[in-house]
Amino acid sequence: KNQVEQSPQSLIILEGKNCTLQCNYTVSPFSNLRWYKQDTGRGPVSLTIMTFSENTKSNGRYTATLDADTKQSSLHITASQLSDSASYICVVSGWMDSSYKLIFGSGTRLLVRP
Amino acid sequence: EAQVTQNPRYLITVTGKKLTVTCSQNMNHEYMSWYRQDPGLGLRQIYYSMNVEVTDKGDVPEGYKVSRKEKRNFPLILESPSPNQTSLYFCASSPQQSSYEQYFGPGTRLTVT
């Protein structure tokens, strides 16, 4: 079954600290992996997108890594800010049953405290 | 400004009363999609549209209808809402189905009593 599992479910860190969020997937065949940030009450916004040939991609203080062999990805946030408080969603896409599908993880809720 | 808009943002209704949630995008995107988001679950696709007059079921289409008469608009219709359709709904668009970038609307929080 094609699934995307994220951990931890929730995380609290102090402002200025770093953190890493995990995403494991069983989607096959794999096309690309995306990380989205979703502020409370808003739609998801794309942070990074990686194809199977990419190992790492950065967007400011956000760095995503991908290991297509072990089907794992991580999102590393450096020097966290209060505005990083949000849910972070991992999305894996691929062609399944002759159609292109996006499989969403349930997200990691991050709270950054002063 | 490039954006996806949804209306209404919040809606409380009663079981069985037909409702429509509108979605509009100004980016000339071919692909549009509706999702619902429930606590503890990832976003699940309800319906999608590859282009004008082309729509198809997603993973959870029961109880919903859509139409795509114009490229920019993709309304979601609940003919007879039920309490299990209480959820947060998102419309999204992208240049094509497999495009990397997908743009989401602000969401519509629906409560069916």
Side-chain angles (χ1 to χ4, degrees), chain A residues 40-112:
Chain A
T40 301
R42 298 204 158 187
V45 175
S46 179
L47 292 175
T48 64
I49 301 170
M50 290 183 290
T51 64
F52 66 90
S53 61
E54 295 177 290
N55 299 120
T56 184
K57 186 164 265 189
S58 292
N59 178 0
R61 294 180 296 102
Y62 301 101
T63 299
T65 64
L66 173 63
D67 186 333
D69 291 330
T70 62
K71 293 184 167 59
Q72 295 180 325
S73 176
S74 64
L75 180 69
H76 186 74
I77 304 174
T78 304
S80 61
Q81 300 176 357
L82 298 179
S83 59
D84 291 332
S85 295
S87 287
Y88 292 84
I89 302 172
C90 176
V91 185
V92 179
S93 66
W95 287 91
M96 294 157 246
D97 299 324
S98 302
S99 64
Y100 186 81
K101 289 189 180 293
L102 280 74
I103 309 297
F104 289 77
S106 56
T108 292
R109 187 180 296 275
L110 175 65
L111 177 61
V112 180

Side-chain angles (χ1 to χ4, degrees), chain B residues 31-90:
Chain B
Y31 183 81
M32 297 185 75
S33 181
W34 275 103
Y35 297 90
R36 61 177 289 172
Q37 186 176 37
D38 301 293
L41 300 176
L43 276 80
R44 294 179 291 168
Q45 191 177 53
I46 302 171
Y47 267 94
Y48 64 92
S49 170
M50 305 269 282
N51 212 326
V52 176
E53 301 293 1
V54 181
T55 64
D56 211 343
K57 296 177 181 178
D59 297 316
V60 288
E62 295 77 21
Y64 305 95
K65 285 175 58 177
V66 293
S67 69
R68 186 93 181 272
K69 293 184 172 59
E70 307 164 282
K71 199 170 190 178
R72 63 183 293 128
N73 296 323
F74 189 45
L76 179 69
I77 303 155
L78 284 72
E79 294 270 1
S80 182
S82 62
N84 65 11
Q85 293 178 300
T86 293
S87 188
L88 180 58
Y89 291 87
F90 289 101

Side-chain angles (χ1 to χ4, degrees), chain B residues 90-110:
Chain B
F90 289 101
C91 179
S93 76
S94 60
Q96 294 179 339
Q97 184 181 34
S98 58
S99 295
Y100 287 177
E101 194 61 67
Q102 190 168 38
Y103 298 86
F104 285 84
T108 295
R109 185 167 293 281
L110 172 66

